[in-house]
Amino acid sequence: MATTTGPEAQVIDAALADFRQMMASDGYRVLWAPDPDSAAESGTRLTVTIEAGPEACADCLSPTPVMEAILQKQLAGTAYTVGSVTLPSGH
Protein backbone atom coordinates (compact mmCIF):
# COMPACT_ATOMS: atom_id res chain seq x y z
CA MET A 1 0.00 0.00 0.00
CA ALA A 2 1.36 3.38 -0.95
CA THR A 3 1.32 6.73 0.76
CA THR A 4 1.72 8.38 -2.64
CA THR A 5 -0.68 8.47 -5.56
CA GLY A 6 -0.22 8.98 -9.26
CA PRO A 7 1.64 7.20 -12.01
CA GLU A 8 4.71 6.57 -9.86
CA ALA A 9 2.56 4.80 -7.25
CA GLN A 10 1.09 2.55 -9.94
CA VAL A 11 4.58 1.58 -11.15
CA ILE A 12 5.76 0.76 -7.62
CA ASP A 13 2.56 -1.07 -6.66
CA ALA A 14 2.77 -3.18 -9.82
CA ALA A 15 6.44 -4.03 -9.16
CA LEU A 16 5.71 -5.05 -5.56
CA ALA A 17 2.44 -6.90 -6.24
CA ASP A 18 3.89 -10.44 -6.09
CA PHE A 19 5.88 -9.65 -2.94
CA ARG A 20 2.82 -8.15 -1.28
CA GLN A 21 0.73 -11.19 -2.15
CA MET A 22 3.39 -13.52 -0.74
CA MET A 23 3.64 -11.50 2.47
CA ALA A 24 -0.14 -11.27 2.82
CA SER A 25 -0.42 -15.05 2.64
CA ASP A 26 1.87 -15.15 5.72
CA GLY A 27 -0.17 -12.50 7.56
CA TYR A 28 1.89 -9.39 6.76
CA ARG A 29 1.06 -6.04 5.18
CA VAL A 30 3.62 -4.19 3.06
CA LEU A 31 3.61 -0.38 3.00
CA TRP A 32 5.95 1.93 1.15
CA ALA A 33 6.67 5.64 0.99
CA PRO A 34 9.26 7.81 -0.69
CA ASP A 35 12.40 7.94 1.45
CA PRO A 36 12.44 11.49 2.88
CA ASP A 37 16.24 11.53 2.69
CA SER A 38 16.13 11.03 -1.07
CA ALA A 39 13.72 13.89 -1.79
CA ALA A 40 16.57 16.33 -2.37
CA GLU A 41 18.15 13.85 -4.78
CA SER A 42 16.05 12.00 -7.32
CA GLY A 43 13.29 10.94 -4.93
CA THR A 44 13.49 7.37 -6.15
CA ARG A 45 14.50 5.62 -2.91
CA LEU A 46 11.71 3.97 -0.96
CA THR A 47 11.12 3.26 2.69
CA VAL A 48 9.31 -0.07 3.08
CA THR A 49 7.50 -1.06 6.26
CA ILE A 50 6.27 -4.58 6.90
CA GLU A 51 3.50 -4.84 9.49
CA ALA A 52 2.43 -8.06 11.18
CA GLY A 53 -1.25 -8.92 11.28
CA PRO A 54 -2.77 -10.75 14.25
CA GLU A 55 -2.08 -14.18 12.73
CA ALA A 56 1.27 -13.45 11.11
CA CYS A 57 3.70 -16.34 10.72
CA ALA A 58 6.76 -15.18 12.70
CA ASP A 59 8.91 -18.00 11.27
CA CYS A 60 8.05 -16.89 7.73
CA LEU A 61 9.73 -13.48 8.05
CA SER A 62 13.26 -13.26 6.67
CA PRO A 63 15.99 -11.00 8.12
CA THR A 64 16.19 -7.40 6.92
CA PRO A 65 19.07 -7.94 4.41
CA VAL A 66 17.13 -10.75 2.75
CA MET A 67 13.97 -8.63 2.57
CA GLU A 68 15.98 -5.75 1.09
CA ALA A 69 17.40 -8.04 -1.61
CA ILE A 70 13.96 -9.46 -2.46
CA LEU A 71 12.43 -5.99 -2.67
CA GLN A 72 15.30 -4.67 -4.78
CA LYS A 73 14.79 -7.55 -7.20
CA GLN A 74 11.07 -6.77 -7.36
CA LEU A 75 11.86 -3.13 -8.21
CA ALA A 76 14.33 -4.05 -10.97
CA GLY A 77 13.27 -2.44 -14.20
CA THR A 78 11.83 0.60 -12.42
CA ALA A 79 13.56 3.83 -11.44
CA TYR A 80 13.12 2.95 -7.75
CA THR A 81 15.43 1.42 -5.14
CA VAL A 82 15.04 0.37 -1.52
CA GLY A 83 16.34 2.92 0.96
CA SER A 84 15.30 1.05 4.10
CA VAL A 85 13.12 -1.79 5.32
CA THR A 86 11.43 -1.79 8.71
CA LEU A 87 10.27 -5.15 10.07
CA PRO A 88 7.88 -5.71 12.96
CA SER A 89 9.56 -5.36 16.36
CA GLY A 90 11.32 -8.47 17.50
CA HIS A 91 12.56 -9.41 14.01
Side-chain angles (χ1 to χ4, degrees), residues 3-85:
T3 58
T4 302
T5 59
E8 65 276 357
Q10 292 175 349
V11 168
I12 297 165
D13 285 339
L16 297 179
D18 290 342
F19 179 75
R20 280 190 161 145
Q21 183 177 6
M22 176 188 70
M23 295 302 294
S25 70
D26 290 332
Y28 293 93
R29 182 175 160 193
V30 178
L31 306 169
W32 65 266
D35 185 326
D37 294 334
S38 74
E41 300 165 13
S42 61
T44 59
R45 264 194 332 236
L46 303 177
T47 298
V48 179
T49 303
I50 299 175
E51 297 179 342
E55 297 184 25
C57 170
D59 292 336
C60 300
L61 197 60
S62 297
T64 302
V66 174
M67 290 297 198
E68 289 172 346
I70 293 169
L71 287 161
Q72 196 59 54
K73 184 176 179 182
Q74 294 291 301
L75 291 168
T78 73
Y80 300 92
T81 61
V82 178
S84 66
V85 175

